[in-house]
PDB file of all heavy atoms in Angstrom:
ATOM      1  N   LEU A  28      80.553 -87.384  63.346  1.00 95.00           N
ATOM      2  CA  LEU A  28      79.465 -87.975  64.414  1.00 95.00           C
ATOM      3  C   LEU A  28      78.115 -88.054  63.729  1.00 95.00           C
ATOM      4  O   LEU A  28      77.341 -89.026  63.833  1.00 95.00           O
ATOM      5  CB  LEU A  28      79.501 -87.093  65.653  1.00 95.00           C
ATOM      6  CG  LEU A  28      78.561 -87.450  66.803  1.00 95.00           C
ATOM      7  CD1 LEU A  28      78.609 -88.942  67.149  1.00 95.00           C
ATOM      8  CD2 LEU A  28      78.848 -86.756  68.036  1.00 95.00           C
ATOM      9  N   ALA A  29      77.644 -86.846  63.160  1.00 96.00           N
ATOM     10  CA  ALA A  29      76.279 -86.886  62.641  1.00 96.00           C
ATOM     11  C   ALA A  29      76.165 -87.774  61.346  1.00 96.00           C
ATOM     12  O   ALA A  29      75.182 -88.422  61.268  1.00 96.00           O
ATOM     13  CB  ALA A  29      75.954 -85.425  62.147  1.00 96.00           C
ATOM     14  N   PRO A  30      77.193 -87.828  60.333  1.00 97.00           N
ATOM     15  CA  PRO A  30      76.973 -88.835  59.438  1.00 97.00           C
ATOM     16  C   PRO A  30      76.950 -90.309  59.981  1.00 97.00           C
ATOM     17  O   PRO A  30      76.222 -91.119  59.444  1.00 97.00           O
ATOM     18  CB  PRO A  30      78.242 -88.595  58.581  1.00 97.00           C
ATOM     19  CG  PRO A  30      78.583 -87.230  58.704  1.00 97.00           C
ATOM     20  CD  PRO A  30      78.173 -86.927  60.145  1.00 97.00           C
ATOM     21  N   MET A  31      77.762 -90.596  61.142  1.00 96.00           N
ATOM     22  CA  MET A  31      77.576 -91.821  61.757  1.00 96.00           C
ATOM     23  C   MET A  31      76.215 -92.173  62.053  1.00 96.00           C
ATOM     24  O   MET A  31      75.709 -93.236  61.940  1.00 96.00           O
ATOM     25  CB  MET A  31      78.667 -91.974  62.854  1.00 96.00           C
ATOM     26  CG  MET A  31      78.607 -93.287  63.490  1.00 96.00           C
ATOM     27  SD  MET A  31      77.428 -93.307  64.932  1.00 96.00           S
ATOM     28  CE  MET A  31      78.202 -92.321  66.170  1.00 96.00           C
ATOM     29  N   HIS A  32      75.538 -91.258  62.732  1.00 95.00           N
ATOM     30  CA  HIS A  32      74.267 -91.305  63.227  1.00 95.00           C
ATOM     31  C   HIS A  32      73.306 -91.672  62.052  1.00 95.00           C
ATOM     32  O   HIS A  32      72.185 -92.401  62.269  1.00 95.00           O
ATOM     33  CB  HIS A  32      73.797 -90.079  64.044  1.00 95.00           C
ATOM     34  CG  HIS A  32      72.332 -90.165  64.342  1.00 95.00           C
ATOM     35  ND1 HIS A  32      71.789 -90.939  65.371  1.00 95.00           N
ATOM     36  CD2 HIS A  32      71.210 -89.453  64.000  1.00 95.00           C
ATOM     37  CE1 HIS A  32      70.549 -90.826  65.519  1.00 95.00           C
ATOM     38  NE2 HIS A  32      70.169 -89.867  64.614  1.00 95.00           N
ATOM     39  N   LEU A  33      73.504 -91.091  60.800  1.00 96.00           N
ATOM     40  CA  LEU A  33      72.557 -91.346  59.702  1.00 96.00           C
ATOM     41  C   LEU A  33      72.953 -92.687  58.904  1.00 96.00           C
ATOM     42  O   LEU A  33      72.347 -92.976  57.961  1.00 96.00           O
ATOM     43  CB  LEU A  33      72.889 -90.216  58.696  1.00 96.00           C
ATOM     44  CG  LEU A  33      72.352 -88.815  59.112  1.00 96.00           C
ATOM     45  CD1 LEU A  33      72.747 -87.700  58.138  1.00 96.00           C
ATOM     46  CD2 LEU A  33      70.816 -88.883  59.399  1.00 96.00           C
ATOM     47  N   GLY A  34      73.967 -93.413  59.493  1.00 96.00           N
ATOM     48  CA  GLY A  34      74.164 -94.772  58.854  1.00 96.00           C
ATOM     49  C   GLY A  34      75.375 -94.760  57.875  1.00 96.00           C
ATOM     50  O   GLY A  34      75.495 -95.842  57.181  1.00 96.00           O
ATOM     51  N   ILE A  35      76.177 -93.739  57.742  1.00 97.00           N
ATOM     52  CA  ILE A  35      77.224 -93.733  56.889  1.00 97.00           C
ATOM     53  C   ILE A  35      78.327 -94.646  57.489  1.00 97.00           C
ATOM     54  O   ILE A  35      78.759 -94.545  58.613  1.00 97.00           O
ATOM     55  CB  ILE A  35      77.818 -92.359  56.777  1.00 97.00           C
ATOM     56  CG1 ILE A  35      76.789 -91.479  55.933  1.00 97.00           C
ATOM     57  CG2 ILE A  35      79.136 -92.369  55.769  1.00 97.00           C
ATOM     58  CD1 ILE A  35      76.355 -91.886  54.650  1.00 97.00           C
ATOM     59  N   LYS A  36      78.741 -95.686  56.565  1.00 97.00           N
ATOM     60  CA  LYS A  36      79.612 -96.667  57.141  1.00 97.00           C
ATOM     61  C   LYS A  36      81.132 -96.458  56.626  1.00 97.00           C
ATOM     62  O   LYS A  36      82.063 -96.880  57.271  1.00 97.00           O
ATOM     63  CB  LYS A  36      79.181 -98.105  56.756  1.00 97.00           C
ATOM     64  CG  LYS A  36      77.857 -98.443  57.245  1.00 97.00           C
ATOM     65  CD  LYS A  36      77.805 -98.668  58.729  1.00 97.00           C
ATOM     66  CE  LYS A  36      76.534 -99.322  59.154  1.00 97.00           C
ATOM     67  NZ  LYS A  36      75.291 -98.557  58.953  1.00 97.00           N
ATOM     68  N   VAL A  37      81.245 -95.827  55.449  1.00 98.00           N
ATOM     69  CA  VAL A  37      82.478 -95.634  54.717  1.00 98.00           C
ATOM     70  C   VAL A  37      82.427 -94.378  54.106  1.00 98.00           C
ATOM     71  O   VAL A  37      81.463 -93.838  53.535  1.00 98.00           O
ATOM     72  CB  VAL A  37      82.607 -96.814  53.662  1.00 98.00           C
ATOM     73  CG1 VAL A  37      83.878 -96.702  52.825  1.00 98.00           C
ATOM     74  CG2 VAL A  37      82.496 -98.205  54.211  1.00 98.00           C
ATOM     75  N   VAL A  38      83.693 -93.737  54.000  1.00 98.00           N
ATOM     76  CA  VAL A  38      83.922 -92.556  53.080  1.00 98.00           C
ATOM     77  C   VAL A  38      85.096 -92.972  52.191  1.00 98.00           C
ATOM     78  O   VAL A  38      86.091 -93.362  52.717  1.00 98.00           O
ATOM     79  CB  VAL A  38      84.218 -91.290  53.789  1.00 98.00           C
ATOM     80  CG1 VAL A  38      84.511 -90.181  52.831  1.00 98.00           C
ATOM     81  CG2 VAL A  38      83.134 -90.937  54.765  1.00 98.00           C
ATOM     82  N   LEU A  39      84.857 -92.939  50.896  1.00 98.00           N
ATOM     83  CA  LEU A  39      85.861 -93.360  49.857  1.00 98.00           C
ATOM     84  C   LEU A  39      86.231 -92.111  49.107  1.00 98.00           C
ATOM     85  O   LEU A  39      85.510 -91.496  48.374  1.00 98.00           O
ATOM     86  CB  LEU A  39      85.289 -94.383  48.957  1.00 98.00           C
ATOM     87  CG  LEU A  39      86.196 -94.908  47.837  1.00 98.00           C
ATOM     88  CD1 LEU A  39      87.584 -95.497  48.360  1.00 98.00           C
ATOM     89  CD2 LEU A  39      85.335 -95.955  46.943  1.00 98.00           C
ATOM     90  N   ALA A  40      87.476 -91.716  49.251  1.00 98.00           N
ATOM     91  CA  ALA A  40      87.846 -90.411  48.660  1.00 98.00           C
ATOM     92  C   ALA A  40      89.135 -90.496  48.035  1.00 98.00           C
ATOM     93  O   ALA A  40      89.951 -91.502  48.218  1.00 98.00           O
ATOM     94  CB  ALA A  40      87.817 -89.235  49.692  1.00 98.00           C
ATOM     95  N   LYS A  41      89.514 -89.556  47.239  1.00 98.00           N
ATOM     96  CA  LYS A  41      90.929 -89.464  46.668  1.00 98.00           C
ATOM     97  C   LYS A  41      91.991 -89.175  47.671  1.00 98.00           C
ATOM     98  O   LYS A  41      93.074 -89.688  47.605  1.00 98.00           O
ATOM     99  CB  LYS A  41      90.955 -88.386  45.538  1.00 98.00           C
ATOM    100  CG  LYS A  41      90.068 -88.897  44.282  1.00 98.00           C
ATOM    101  CD  LYS A  41      90.170 -87.770  43.189  1.00 98.00           C
ATOM    102  CE  LYS A  41      89.347 -88.073  42.040  1.00 98.00           C
ATOM    103  NZ  LYS A  41      89.360 -87.059  40.959  1.00 98.00           N
ATOM    104  N   SER A  42      91.640 -88.289  48.620  1.00 98.00           N
ATOM    105  CA  SER A  42      92.505 -88.069  49.723  1.00 98.00           C
ATOM    106  C   SER A  42      91.727 -87.343  50.871  1.00 98.00           C
ATOM    107  O   SER A  42      90.615 -86.799  50.595  1.00 98.00           O
ATOM    108  CB  SER A  42      93.645 -87.073  49.308  1.00 98.00           C
ATOM    109  OG  SER A  42      93.367 -85.805  48.936  1.00 98.00           O
ATOM    110  N   PHE A  43      92.325 -87.350  52.063  1.00 98.00           N
ATOM    111  CA  PHE A  43      91.614 -86.712  53.277  1.00 98.00           C
ATOM    112  C   PHE A  43      92.333 -85.602  53.910  1.00 98.00           C
ATOM    113  O   PHE A  43      93.719 -85.715  53.901  1.00 98.00           O
ATOM    114  CB  PHE A  43      91.328 -87.822  54.329  1.00 98.00           C
ATOM    115  CG  PHE A  43      90.253 -88.812  53.955  1.00 98.00           C
ATOM    116  CD1 PHE A  43      90.658 -89.954  53.333  1.00 98.00           C
ATOM    117  CD2 PHE A  43      88.874 -88.660  54.294  1.00 98.00           C
ATOM    118  CE1 PHE A  43      89.583 -90.966  52.922  1.00 98.00           C
ATOM    119  CE2 PHE A  43      87.938 -89.559  53.969  1.00 98.00           C
ATOM    120  CZ  PHE A  43      88.289 -90.781  53.329  1.00 98.00           C
ATOM    121  N   ALA A  44      91.753 -84.703  54.477  1.00 97.00           N
ATOM    122  CA  ALA A  44      92.389 -83.777  55.437  1.00 97.00           C
ATOM    123  C   ALA A  44      92.627 -84.650  56.782  1.00 97.00           C
ATOM    124  O   ALA A  44      91.811 -85.426  57.173  1.00 97.00           O
ATOM    125  CB  ALA A  44      91.386 -82.699  55.821  1.00 97.00           C
ATOM    126  N   ARG A  45      93.837 -84.358  57.307  1.00 95.00           N
ATOM    127  CA  ARG A  45      94.293 -85.233  58.382  1.00 95.00           C
ATOM    128  C   ARG A  45      93.292 -85.316  59.509  1.00 95.00           C
ATOM    129  O   ARG A  45      92.977 -86.372  60.062  1.00 95.00           O
ATOM    130  CB  ARG A  45      95.544 -84.797  58.891  1.00 95.00           C
ATOM    131  CG  ARG A  45      96.176 -85.468  59.980  1.00 95.00           C
ATOM    132  CD  ARG A  45      97.605 -84.891  60.373  1.00 95.00           C
ATOM    133  NE  ARG A  45      97.446 -83.399  60.829  1.00 95.00           N
ATOM    134  CZ  ARG A  45      97.207 -83.218  62.011  1.00 95.00           C
ATOM    135  NH1 ARG A  45      96.717 -83.929  62.997  1.00 95.00           N
ATOM    136  NH2 ARG A  45      97.047 -81.883  62.295  1.00 95.00           N
ATOM    137  N   ILE A  46      92.800 -84.143  60.192  1.00 96.00           N
ATOM    138  CA  ILE A  46      92.008 -84.285  61.414  1.00 96.00           C
ATOM    139  C   ILE A  46      90.663 -85.006  61.147  1.00 96.00           C
ATOM    140  O   ILE A  46      90.187 -85.674  61.914  1.00 96.00           O
ATOM    141  CB  ILE A  46      91.867 -82.797  61.952  1.00 96.00           C
ATOM    142  CG1 ILE A  46      93.163 -82.326  62.289  1.00 96.00           C
ATOM    143  CG2 ILE A  46      90.944 -82.813  63.108  1.00 96.00           C
ATOM    144  CD1 ILE A  46      93.241 -81.009  62.973  1.00 96.00           C
ATOM    145  N   HIS A  47      90.121 -84.636  59.870  1.00 97.00           N
ATOM    146  CA  HIS A  47      88.844 -85.279  59.609  1.00 97.00           C
ATOM    147  C   HIS A  47      89.014 -86.819  59.522  1.00 97.00           C
ATOM    148  O   HIS A  47      87.990 -87.591  59.892  1.00 97.00           O
ATOM    149  CB  HIS A  47      88.089 -84.737  58.296  1.00 97.00           C
ATOM    150  CG  HIS A  47      86.712 -85.151  58.234  1.00 97.00           C
ATOM    151  ND1 HIS A  47      85.744 -85.010  59.018  1.00 97.00           N
ATOM    152  CD2 HIS A  47      86.322 -85.858  57.110  1.00 97.00           C
ATOM    153  CE1 HIS A  47      84.660 -85.607  58.489  1.00 97.00           C
ATOM    154  NE2 HIS A  47      84.854 -86.113  57.419  1.00 97.00           N
ATOM    155  N   HIS A  48      90.042 -87.211  58.900  1.00 98.00           N
ATOM    156  CA  HIS A  48      90.380 -88.609  58.818  1.00 98.00           C
ATOM    157  C   HIS A  48      90.316 -89.296  60.109  1.00 98.00           C
ATOM    158  O   HIS A  48      89.760 -90.376  60.355  1.00 98.00           O
ATOM    159  CB  HIS A  48      91.657 -88.833  58.086  1.00 98.00           C
ATOM    160  CG  HIS A  48      92.089 -90.305  57.867  1.00 98.00           C
ATOM    161  ND1 HIS A  48      92.763 -91.016  58.813  1.00 98.00           N
ATOM    162  CD2 HIS A  48      91.940 -91.017  56.679  1.00 98.00           C
ATOM    163  CE1 HIS A  48      92.873 -92.278  58.338  1.00 98.00           C
ATOM    164  NE2 HIS A  48      92.429 -92.215  57.094  1.00 98.00           N
ATOM    165  N   ALA A  49      91.027 -88.597  61.157  1.00 97.00           N
ATOM    166  CA  ALA A  49      91.060 -89.239  62.496  1.00 97.00           C
ATOM    167  C   ALA A  49      89.641 -89.186  63.189  1.00 97.00           C
ATOM    168  O   ALA A  49      89.205 -90.062  63.800  1.00 97.00           O
ATOM    169  CB  ALA A  49      91.935 -88.364  63.331  1.00 97.00           C
ATOM    170  N   ASN A  50      88.847 -88.162  62.874  1.00 97.00           N
ATOM    171  CA  ASN A  50      87.535 -88.092  63.403  1.00 97.00           C
ATOM    172  C   ASN A  50      86.697 -89.169  62.827  1.00 97.00           C
ATOM    173  O   ASN A  50      85.814 -89.729  63.616  1.00 97.00           O
ATOM    174  CB  ASN A  50      86.910 -86.708  63.120  1.00 97.00           C
ATOM    175  CG  ASN A  50      87.487 -85.590  64.135  1.00 97.00           C
ATOM    176  OD1 ASN A  50      88.011 -85.944  65.087  1.00 97.00           O
ATOM    177  ND2 ASN A  50      87.261 -84.355  63.642  1.00 97.00           N
ATOM    178  N   LEU A  51      86.726 -89.519  61.581  1.00 98.00           N
ATOM    179  CA  LEU A  51      85.959 -90.628  60.942  1.00 98.00           C
ATOM    180  C   LEU A  51      86.309 -91.842  61.656  1.00 98.00           C
ATOM    181  O   LEU A  51      85.303 -92.658  62.022  1.00 98.00           O
ATOM    182  CB  LEU A  51      86.242 -90.741  59.554  1.00 98.00           C
ATOM    183  CG  LEU A  51      85.714 -89.549  58.607  1.00 98.00           C
ATOM    184  CD1 LEU A  51      86.244 -89.710  57.199  1.00 98.00           C
ATOM    185  CD2 LEU A  51      84.241 -89.531  58.661  1.00 98.00           C
ATOM    186  N   VAL A  52      87.531 -92.137  61.874  1.00 97.00           N
ATOM    187  CA  VAL A  52      87.986 -93.474  62.561  1.00 97.00           C
ATOM    188  C   VAL A  52      87.387 -93.425  64.060  1.00 97.00           C
ATOM    189  O   VAL A  52      86.833 -94.373  64.461  1.00 97.00           O
ATOM    190  CB  VAL A  52      89.501 -93.556  62.655  1.00 97.00           C
ATOM    191  CG1 VAL A  52      89.885 -94.650  63.470  1.00 97.00           C
ATOM    192  CG2 VAL A  52      90.029 -93.736  61.236  1.00 97.00           C
ATOM    193  N   ASN A  53      87.431 -92.323  64.684  1.00 96.00           N
ATOM    194  CA  ASN A  53      86.998 -92.216  66.060  1.00 96.00           C
ATOM    195  C   ASN A  53      85.569 -92.548  66.272  1.00 96.00           C
ATOM    196  O   ASN A  53      85.172 -92.968  67.263  1.00 96.00           O
ATOM    197  CB  ASN A  53      87.302 -90.902  66.685  1.00 96.00           C
ATOM    198  CG  ASN A  53      88.803 -90.743  66.975  1.00 96.00           C
ATOM    199  OD1 ASN A  53      89.605 -91.801  67.062  1.00 96.00           O
ATOM    200  ND2 ASN A  53      89.332 -89.458  67.157  1.00 96.00           N
ATOM    201  N   PHE A  54      84.813 -92.275  65.185  1.00 96.00           N
ATOM    202  CA  PHE A  54      83.339 -92.519  65.223  1.00 96.00           C
ATOM    203  C   PHE A  54      82.913 -93.743  64.464  1.00 96.00           C
ATOM    204  O   PHE A  54      81.670 -93.877  64.124  1.00 96.00           O
ATOM    205  CB  PHE A  54      82.466 -91.297  64.889  1.00 96.00           C
ATOM    206  CG  PHE A  54      82.591 -90.247  65.983  1.00 96.00           C
ATOM    207  CD1 PHE A  54      83.318 -89.172  65.741  1.00 96.00           C
ATOM    208  CD2 PHE A  54      81.962 -90.402  67.229  1.00 96.00           C
ATOM    209  CE1 PHE A  54      83.483 -88.139  66.724  1.00 96.00           C
ATOM    210  CE2 PHE A  54      82.129 -89.519  68.141  1.00 96.00           C
ATOM    211  CZ  PHE A  54      82.910 -88.293  67.938  1.00 96.00           C
ATOM    212  N   GLY A  55      83.930 -94.678  64.110  1.00 96.00           N
ATOM    213  CA  GLY A  55      83.515 -95.889  63.583  1.00 96.00           C
ATOM    214  C   GLY A  55      83.286 -95.992  61.951  1.00 96.00           C
ATOM    215  O   GLY A  55      82.642 -96.824  61.535  1.00 96.00           O
ATOM    216  N   ILE A  56      83.651 -94.754  61.330  1.00 97.00           N
ATOM    217  CA  ILE A  56      83.438 -94.756  59.834  1.00 97.00           C
ATOM    218  C   ILE A  56      84.796 -94.969  59.183  1.00 97.00           C
ATOM    219  O   ILE A  56      85.804 -94.437  59.569  1.00 97.00           O
ATOM    220  CB  ILE A  56      82.923 -93.323  59.408  1.00 97.00           C
ATOM    221  CG1 ILE A  56      81.559 -93.000  60.166  1.00 97.00           C
ATOM    222  CG2 ILE A  56      82.785 -93.223  57.925  1.00 97.00           C
ATOM    223  CD1 ILE A  56      80.913 -91.667  59.776  1.00 97.00           C
ATOM    224  N   ILE A  57      84.700 -95.962  58.226  1.00 98.00           N
ATOM    225  CA  ILE A  57      85.965 -96.392  57.531  1.00 98.00           C
ATOM    226  C   ILE A  57      86.492 -95.356  56.496  1.00 98.00           C
ATOM    227  O   ILE A  57      85.668 -95.298  55.540  1.00 98.00           O
ATOM    228  CB  ILE A  57      85.912 -97.738  57.017  1.00 98.00           C
ATOM    229  CG1 ILE A  57      85.372 -98.701  58.046  1.00 98.00           C
ATOM    230  CG2 ILE A  57      87.106 -98.203  56.401  1.00 98.00           C
ATOM    231  CD1 ILE A  57      85.053-100.135  57.412  1.00 98.00           C
ATOM    232  N   PRO A  58      87.545 -94.725  56.736  1.00 98.00           N
ATOM    233  CA  PRO A  58      88.006 -93.881  55.623  1.00 98.00           C
ATOM    234  C   PRO A  58      88.977 -94.558  54.618  1.00 98.00           C
ATOM    235  O   PRO A  58      89.927 -95.201  55.030  1.00 98.00           O
ATOM    236  CB  PRO A  58      88.847 -92.703  56.418  1.00 98.00           C
ATOM    237  CG  PRO A  58      89.317 -93.502  57.653  1.00 98.00           C
ATOM    238  CD  PRO A  58      88.430 -94.702  57.963  1.00 98.00           C
ATOM    239  N   LEU A  59      88.633 -94.617  53.348  1.00 98.00           N
ATOM    240  CA  LEU A  59      89.423 -95.294  52.335  1.00 98.00           C
ATOM    241  C   LEU A  59      89.717 -94.349  51.234  1.00 98.00           C
ATOM    242  O   LEU A  59      88.960 -93.419  50.894  1.00 98.00           O
ATOM    243  CB  LEU A  59      88.611 -96.546  51.684  1.00 98.00           C
ATOM    244  CG  LEU A  59      88.132 -97.567  52.688  1.00 98.00           C
ATOM    245  CD1 LEU A  59      87.301 -98.589  52.025  1.00 98.00           C
ATOM    246  CD2 LEU A  59      89.434 -98.254  53.345  1.00 98.00           C
ATOM    247  N   THR A  60      90.928 -94.515  50.703  1.00 98.00           N
ATOM    248  CA  THR A  60      91.295 -93.682  49.476  1.00 98.00           C
ATOM    249  C   THR A  60      91.462 -94.609  48.298  1.00 98.00           C
ATOM    250  O   THR A  60      91.896 -95.847  48.381  1.00 98.00           O
ATOM    251  CB  THR A  60      92.697 -93.039  49.767  1.00 98.00           C
ATOM    252  OG1 THR A  60      93.742 -94.026  50.016  1.00 98.00           O
ATOM    253  CG2 THR A  60      92.609 -92.018  50.865  1.00 98.00           C
ATOM    254  N   PHE A  61      91.007 -94.075  47.039  1.00 98.00           N
ATOM    255  CA  PHE A  61      91.213 -94.831  45.919  1.00 98.00           C
ATOM    256  C   PHE A  61      92.655 -95.292  45.613  1.00 98.00           C
ATOM    257  O   PHE A  61      93.558 -94.390  45.570  1.00 98.00           O
ATOM    258  CB  PHE A  61      90.702 -94.044  44.648  1.00 98.00           C
ATOM    259  CG  PHE A  61      89.214 -93.790  44.727  1.00 98.00           C
ATOM    260  CD1 PHE A  61      88.744 -92.523  45.137  1.00 98.00           C
ATOM    261  CD2 PHE A  61      88.285 -94.729  44.153  1.00 98.00           C
ATOM    262  CE1 PHE A  61      87.379 -92.271  45.128  1.00 98.00           C
ATOM    263  CE2 PHE A  61      86.990 -94.499  44.182  1.00 98.00           C
ATOM    264  CZ  PHE A  61      86.467 -93.244  44.582  1.00 98.00           C
ATOM    265  N   ALA A  62      92.854 -96.544  45.329  1.00 97.00           N
ATOM    266  CA  ALA A  62      94.208 -97.005  44.938  1.00 97.00           C
ATOM    267  C   ALA A  62      94.550 -96.421  43.549  1.00 97.00           C
ATOM    268  O   ALA A  62      95.648 -96.077  43.241  1.00 97.00           O
ATOM    269  CB  ALA A  62      94.319 -98.479  44.908  1.00 97.00           C
ATOM    270  N   ASP A  63      93.460 -96.318  42.718  1.00 97.00           N
ATOM    271  CA  ASP A  63      93.557 -95.669  41.396  1.00 97.00           C
ATOM    272  C   ASP A  63      92.569 -94.498  41.412  1.00 97.00           C
ATOM    273  O   ASP A  63      91.316 -94.767  41.303  1.00 97.00           O
ATOM    274  CB  ASP A  63      93.244 -96.666  40.313  1.00 97.00           C
ATOM    275  CG  ASP A  63      93.384 -96.001  38.838  1.00 97.00           C
ATOM    276  OD1 ASP A  63      93.520 -94.852  38.818  1.00 97.00           O
ATOM    277  OD2 ASP A  63      93.274 -96.780  37.869  1.00 97.00           O
ATOM    278  N   PRO A  64      92.935 -93.239  41.395  1.00 96.00           N
ATOM    279  CA  PRO A  64      92.078 -92.150  41.604  1.00 96.00           C
ATOM    280  C   PRO A  64      91.000 -92.126  40.335  1.00 96.00           C
ATOM    281  O   PRO A  64      89.967 -91.565  40.494  1.00 96.00           O
ATOM    282  CB  PRO A  64      92.949 -90.900  41.432  1.00 96.00           C
ATOM    283  CG  PRO A  64      94.231 -91.382  42.064  1.00 96.00           C
ATOM    284  CD  PRO A  64      94.428 -92.800  41.517  1.00 96.00           C
ATOM    285  N   GLU A  65      91.427 -92.650  39.239  1.00 96.00           N
ATOM    286  CA  GLU A  65      90.496 -92.764  38.107  1.00 96.00           C
ATOM    287  C   GLU A  65      89.265 -93.539  38.357  1.00 96.00           C
ATOM    288  O   GLU A  65      88.227 -93.379  37.750  1.00 96.00           O
ATOM    289  CB  GLU A  65      91.174 -93.247  36.848  1.00 96.00           C
ATOM    290  CG  GLU A  65      92.223 -92.141  36.315  1.00 96.00           C
ATOM    291  CD  GLU A  65      92.872 -92.687  34.925  1.00 96.00           C
ATOM    292  OE1 GLU A  65      92.381 -93.749  34.465  1.00 96.00           O
ATOM    293  OE2 GLU A  65      93.769 -92.098  34.514  1.00 96.00           O
TER     294      GLU A  65
END
């Protein structure tokens, strides 16, 4: 919620913890994972 307020639109990571991934979606932040971790 607080990163959303600061204007964060996307989090791009190698992998996510499940609950935080859901929270990002619920507050309109797009969670993406690298297709190629490199």
Side-chain angles (χ1 to χ4, degrees):
L28 177 54
M31 178 271 283
H32 175 71
L33 293 174
I35 298 301
K36 302 291 191 296
V37 179
V38 177
L39 175 59
K41 293 180 181 179
S42 66
F43 287 92
R45 177 181 59 85
I46 295 178
H47 185 64
H48 182 277
N50 284 339
L51 290 172
V52 172
N53 287 341
F54 289 106
I56 298 176
I57 304 174
L59 299 173
T60 56
F61 290 99
D63 180 356
E65 292 186 3

